[in-house]
Amino acid sequence: MTRSVIARPLTAQHFAAFGDVLEVQGDPDKLINQGLCGRHHDRAQMDFSAGRAGISLFDAQPRSLPFVLEMMERHPDGSQAFIPMHQNPYLVAVAEDAGGAPSQPVAFIAQPGQGVNYHRNIWHGVLCPLAPPGLFAVVDRIGDGANLQEHWFDDPWQITGDAPG
C-alpha cells in the first residue's frame, strides 16, 4: 500500500522545524565590494560534532512527480546544507522523529534561488532534482565514524505536486 503526501512550496516558516531555507530575502545585512554586492550574512545553523565542515559536490539524476519515497535518512553528527548550482526546482522531503524512525513526511518544492540546511538528526529524503542538471554544493560534516542512519518504509509514501513546466 502506498500512502500520499502533497508537496507544497518551500517557505522558511513551514520548514523551520527541520532546518533553514537558504535564500535572499529582504535587504542585505551589508553591502560589500564597493557597494555592488549585498551580503546576506550567516543564514544557516551549521552544527557539527567531532569533525569539520566540508564542501562536496553532488550530481544527482533527475526524478519526477509523483515520487515514491521508500527511504529517509538522517545525520546524527552534523547538519547538511544543499545549495543548488542550477536554476531548477527540486523536491525536499522531511519528517519529525517518532521513536527512532521518521513520522509522516512533509514535502516541499524548492524554487530557483532556494537552498536548504537540514539541522542535525533531521530525517530527510534523498536528493531529488526535478530537472537536469542535478548539481548541488553540499556543506556537511567530514570526520570519522558513521554519520548516516537510514529508515526504509514498509509502506512507501507517494509525493505528488505540481511538476515544473
Side-chain angles (χ1 to χ4, degrees):
M1 180 175 136
T2 302
R3 303 169 285 177
S4 184
V5 172
I6 298 173
R8 59 184 172 187
L10 178 66
T11 66
Q13 177 185 2
H14 290 119
F15 194 72
F18 308 105
D20 311 297
V21 175
L22 308 174
E23 63 186 335
V24 172
Q25 288 287 328
D27 294 332
D29 297 304
K30 67 194 251 186
L31 293 175
I32 59 173
N33 299 337
Q34 296 86 35
L36 299 176
C37 180
R39 179 176 174 144
H40 297 260
H41 185 70
D42 198 20
R43 297 297 167 133
Q45 297 176 29
M46 305 304 294
D47 179 18
F48 307 107
S49 68
R52 62 178 176 83
I55 299 174
S56 302
L57 300 178
F58 288 20
D59 192 7
Q61 295 294 314
R63 311 291 182 107
S64 60
L65 295 175
F67 174 75
V68 178
L69 180 68
E70 299 175 292
M71 183 271 293
M72 295 187 91
E73 62 183 40
R74 67 180 176 178
H75 308 282
D77 294 331
S79 56
Q80 190 175 46
F82 288 82
I83 304 162
M85 297 175 71
H86 54 76
Q87 289 290 313
N88 298 311
Y90 60 100
L91 179 66
V92 174
V94 289
E96 294 181 2
D97 184 67
S103 64
Q104 178 174 339
V106 179
F108 301 95
I109 303 293
Q111 295 302 312
Q114 291 182 312
V116 294
N117 177 53
Y118 300 118
H119 288 171
R120 183 195 297 214
N121 226 23
I122 290 295
W123 290 106
H124 60 87
V126 297
L127 185 54
C128 285
L130 296 174
L135 189 59
F136 289 76
V138 178
V139 181
D140 62 357
R141 178 188 170 275
I142 306 296
D144 293 334
N147 186 30
L148 173 65
Q149 294 175 347
E150 293 181 345
H151 176 84
W152 290 82
F153 294 109
D154 292 333
D155 296 317
W157 293 88
Q158 179 173 278
I159 300 175
T160 60
D162 292 331

